[in-house]
Amino acid sequence: MRSLKAAAAAVLVLAALTGCTREGGRVDMGPTGGVPVEGGTATMALPPNATPNWIFPIGPPGYGASYNAGIQFLMFMPVYDAVLDKDKGGLTTHGPSTLGLKPKYSDGNKTVTVPLRKGVKWSDGKPVTARDLEFWFNLLKANKANWGNYSVGTMPDNVKRFETLDDHTVRLRLTRAYNPDWFTANQLTLMRALPQHAWGARTDGGRVGDFDRTKKGAKAVFARLTQHAKSLGSYGSDPLWRTVNGPWKLAGWRDSGQVTIVPNEKFTGPKSQRPHLDKVVFKPFTTADSEYNVLRSGGVDYGYIPPSVMAQKGKFEDKGYRVDPWEGWAATYIVYNFNSTHAGPLMRQLYIRRAMQHLVDQKAMSDVIWQGSATPTLGPVPVTPKSQYLSKAMERDRYPFSVAKAKSLLEAHGWETKGGTARCVRPGTGTDECGKGIERDDPLELTLLSQSGSTETTNMMQELKSSLSKAGIDLTVRQQPLNSVLGNSIPCTAKDPGCDWDMSFFGTAGSWYYPLNPSGEQLFSTGASANFGNYSDKKADRIIRAVQYSPDMKAVHAYGEYLADQLPVMWMPNPAYQVSVIRNDLRGIEQNPTVTFAPQDWYYVKKDQGGAGSEKTGSEKKGAEK
């Protein structure tokens, strides 16, 4: 399939991603039909140790987990997002849930005009206007280093001039011509409308003004908002977060990470986006086992089971649930810290990374640990579902599991691998020597920070540790909660006190969920904020830029093939986001492969049309919080 002239047409790119069925013009995951009833409470389980911890729609590095953005989008309408097109059955970047309408490219793709939906108001009655988008852009431009989505040369660097044409139209004059497919999918989806009239003060109690229109003022406004966002325990009472324009508003946000939302009665967006439920509770769990126990007792309406108990799916189906794997548009990997104060010189040797990749038995991990629910990650472009972004060459495993090949690579470069931990016996920078920065007798010892709370992840790390040891690589695994791993794995330099970690894993449910275009500017470009391992390669930077500029699909193929070979990270099995277990009487759930969710579409049906055991449904549950 050729590249698209407008990224809004990305609906054609990933149509295979949805896995949806169509009945009567409505696209739904799971059972449809039944007699809807208004009201009720739905409790959705969050992934293990995944506690929402950021509400301000400009998130700093380390706070980019999907559940943070997912909850924000329910209260603050995204300008663009990957949403299901119910007419065509695929994904697009604009629809009923977005503030932006179809973007228009002109001037040889050097200018993009963004029209906004009219009639949308903030919950305090003020209209949502182009000024609110300008407010976001000004804050971002002055504080880009503190934004988790920032990558040098991309938003906001690639916008030469931001113009407000009228109350409902903005125009971006770009620094050069861009690939519309990439720019809409990966740049316009970053835009947010923020309530300038409510958030535009520099100090608490100070007057609101146009302070964001100067760099100094934008820094002061941003600092104030960020300070409020750090106070997790006050989210529910802080008046800042009460000014929303989405279909939901915040009812409670506990320190534990449990978030409760209720319908925004002042919502003025499309009628199709008005909630049917009275309340939605996002419930965190420390481990998959604890969630499983609550799910079995009926304490969760929309939960998940570990892949290891897939054989028991029939028990849930007998109780009135449906079991539905939630496939993600994602890649899963272990981050190498190329600037590690301890192992940086080791990580920078491509032959060592190749040897280690040969020791990752992805097939065995998927079959035994994930019960067949994981697919291989062979490079930066997802292998499944199939898309136009994947070339034939990227479907081949360049580093199949082989202890012999791993040992051969290490021995050919001056390592003694017989018995115990491998040690460098030929230091130096020659083609048959250990490499720069590696001294004689240096051991091949590494430390890995790994996400806790998942039996599958724990078993996978132990399997990896065992495989690496067969080639003399000594791996120490240290497990931490997800937020701790993310917080401890930020970009750093070798001189930083917190740069002593060697490897990091945060992929129990997939490490990185892509926008529609799976380019890697946020992950692998030099200096990118989500480039946690400090990877830097001039050729990689060049071919990543080509994906951004050229509408020719050969550009993304070249990018995928090069990084599949260069191993900026260790590719690991990519599991389903989760194996969902959903009450049969809870309908309207569409498991978007970009792992966003839309509870405004959820509704209960009458109990005799698909109930779940003795649980209350619909009006019987009205107002009840689990």
Side-chain angles (χ1 to χ4, degrees):
M1 189 183 298
R2 299 296 297 168
S3 62
L4 306 178
K5 292 185 178 179
V11 106
L12 301 175
V13 179
L14 301 177
L17 289 179
T18 61
C20 298
T21 59
R22 183 180 305 278
E23 295 188 21
R26 180 188 178 96
V27 180
D28 277 297
M29 295 296 293
T32 59
V35 179
V37 291
E38 293 295 309
T41 294
T43 298
M44 180 180 184
L46 293 173
N49 265 318
T51 53
N53 61 353
W54 197 258
I55 193 172
F56 181 29
I58 301 178
Y63 289 79
S66 59
Y67 44 83
N68 277 334
I71 292 172
Q72 290 167 14
F73 282 6
L74 303 179
M75 297 182 288
F76 304 96
M77 288 181 71
V79 180
Y80 293 105
D81 189 23
V83 296
L84 286 169
D85 185 311
K86 294 185 179 182
D87 293 325
K88 296 182 179 179
L91 290 175
T92 183
T93 53
H94 59 280
S97 63
T98 63
L99 188 64
L101 304 176
K102 184 178 180 179
K104 301 173 183 176
Y105 286 82
S106 59
D107 189 25
N109 295 332
K110 294 180 182 178
T111 299
V112 57
T113 301
V114 176
L116 300 180
R117 193 181 299 277
K118 296 180 180 179
V120 179
K121 296 181 179 180
W122 295 102
S123 51
D124 59 7
K126 299 290 185 180
V128 178
T129 69
R131 177 69 177 98
D132 296 319
L133 264 68
E134 182 205 354
F135 181 58
W136 168 82
F137 184 80
N138 291 340
L139 293 184
L140 203 65
K141 189 173 182 179
N143 301 277
K144 60 187 181 183
N146 297 313
W147 182 40
N149 286 315
Y150 178 62
S151 177
V152 176
T154 62
M155 186 73 74
D157 297 348
N158 52 18
V159 178
K160 183 166 56 177
R161 190 161 67 252
F162 189 102
E163 303 170 344
T164 55
L165 302 186
D166 56 43
D167 281 350
H168 295 94
T169 313
V170 301
R171 183 165 59 198
L172 281 62
R173 302 283 189 180
L174 309 181
T175 54
R176 57 160 297 146
Y178 281 92
N179 173 7
D181 176 69
W182 174 82
F183 198 86
T184 299
N186 294 28
Q187 299 292 272
L188 294 187
T189 53
L190 299 173
M191 295 179 71
R192 303 289 182 264
L194 305 180
Q196 184 272 335
H197 70 279
W199 290 6
R202 292 173 296 184
T203 59
D204 289 341
R207 72 177 182 88
V208 172
D210 292 329
F211 305 115
D212 58 290
R213 286 176 167 164
T214 68
K215 185 175 182 179
K216 181 179 179 181
K219 283 184 171 295
V221 172
F222 183 83
R224 171 178 174 257
L225 294 170
T226 299
Q227 191 61 38
H228 278 257
K230 290 179 179 179
S231 183
L232 188 68
S234 66
Y235 282 2
S237 58
D238 193 327
L240 273 177
W241 316 127
R242 294 176 189 167
T243 305
V244 298
N245 64 1
W248 301 89
K249 66 180 182 180
L250 187 63
W253 194 310
R254 299 180 185 174
D255 287 337
S256 66
Q258 178 166 306
V259 178
T260 301
I261 58 175
V262 295
N264 171 15
E265 68 275 6
K266 300 293 181 64
F267 179 63
T268 53
K271 291 182 179 180
S272 64
Q273 294 297 294
R274 294 178 184 174
H276 302 282
L277 300 174
D278 292 322
K279 186 183 297 183
V280 176
V281 179
F282 298 102
K283 191 174 182 64
F285 290 89
T286 54
T287 66
D289 288 340
S290 61
E291 185 275 344
Y292 179 63
N293 291 330
V294 173
L295 178 66
R296 284 195 304 175
S297 67
V300 170
D301 304 304
Y302 184 176
Y304 50 85
I305 57 174
S308 58
V309 299
M310 276 288 281
Q312 300 181 32
K313 64 178 288 189
K315 294 182 180 179
F316 286 96
E317 292 170 341
D318 291 342
K319 288 184 176 182
Y321 292 85
R322 60 187 183 274
V323 178
D324 192 356
W326 189 346
E327 300 290 345
W329 180 236
T332 300
Y333 49 80
I334 290 175
V335 175
Y336 293 125
N337 184 5
F338 292 86
N339 286 349
S340 169
T341 52
H342 167 251
L346 300 176
M347 299 292 88
R348 288 191 284 271
Q349 302 304 318
L350 178 57
Y351 76 86
I352 290 180
R353 303 199 302 276
R354 285 174 169 167
M356 293 175 71
Q357 192 66 54
H358 274 302
L359 296 169
V360 182
D361 194 345
Q362 294 202 56
K363 186 177 187 306
M365 288 179 179
S366 178
D367 291 346
V368 178
I369 296 173
W370 293 103
Q371 298 295 299
S373 66
T375 56
T377 301
L378 303 179
V381 176
V383 175
T384 57
K386 292 292 178 65
S387 74
Q388 65 177 15
Y389 301 113
L390 188 74
S391 70
K392 281 289 184 183
M394 282 185 275
E395 296 182 42
R396 177 176 62 88
D397 187 352
R398 297 163 187 258
Y399 302 103
F401 179 72
S402 174
V403 175
K405 287 183 178 179
K407 282 186 173 181
S408 178
L409 275 168
L410 294 175
E411 290 170 355
H413 288 83
W415 293 86
E416 189 174 89
T417 63
K418 296 178 181 178
T421 303
R423 293 184 179 275
C424 174
V425 294
R426 289 198 304 275
T429 57
T431 56
D432 64 343
E433 295 173 329
C434 299
K436 184 178 180 180
I438 301 174
E439 305 294 334
R440 178 177 294 277
D441 289 331
D442 275 358
L444 245 178
E445 295 176 338
L446 302 168
T447 299
L448 167 66
L449 304 180
S450 178
Q451 175 180 349
S452 62
S454 164
T455 301
E456 286 77 17
T457 291
T458 298
N459 291 342
M460 192 164 60
M461 294 304 111
Q462 290 306 310
E463 168 63 24
L464 179 64
K465 176 181 174 70
S466 176
S467 292
L468 292 176
S469 70
K470 294 174 183 176
I473 302 174
D474 183 8
L475 181 69
T476 298
V477 180
R478 296 175 181 168
Q479 290 197 302
Q480 300 175 347
L482 174 60
N483 288 342
S484 297
V485 173
L486 289 171
N488 291 328
S489 305
I490 59 176
C492 57
T493 66
K495 297 179 180 180
D496 294 339
C499 209
D500 56 353
W501 59 277
D502 304 329
M503 302 164 71
S504 172
F505 180 74
F506 40 83
T508 293
S511 299
W512 184 263
Y513 282 78
Y514 289 103
L516 295 187
N517 187 310
S519 61
E521 66 278 354
Q522 290 180 255
L523 298 176
F524 305 122
S525 290
T526 300
S529 57
N531 182 353
F532 299 130
N534 313 288
Y535 176 72
S536 181
D537 181 290
K538 290 182 179 179
K539 182 176 179 180
D541 290 341
R542 187 170 65 253
I543 61 178
I544 288 172
R545 285 194 296 270
V547 177
Q548 299 167 21
Y549 303 153
S550 173
D552 190 337
M553 199 52 59
K554 291 180 181 178
V556 74
H557 292 168
Y559 147 75
E561 291 166 16
Y562 181 71
L563 288 183
D565 180 70
Q566 290 295 299
L567 302 171
V569 293
M570 177 187 284
W571 309 119
M572 298 292 288
N574 186 43
Y577 176 67
Q578 66 184 35
V579 179
S580 299
V581 178
I582 310 166
R583 295 169 59 102
N584 273 339
D585 57 350
L586 181 59
R587 308 291 173 87
I589 293 175
E590 297 165 334
Q591 299 200 124
N592 193 324
T594 57
V595 300
T596 54
F597 33 83
Q600 57 269 26
D601 293 337
W602 304 354
Y603 61 95
Y604 282 104
V605 295
K606 285 188 176 180
K607 187 174 180 180
D608 59 356
Q609 305 205 354
S614 61
E615 282 294 301
K616 294 181 179 180
T617 65
S619 58
E620 292 180 278
K621 291 183 64 179
K622 192 169 184 177
E625 179 178 348
K626 291 186 181 296

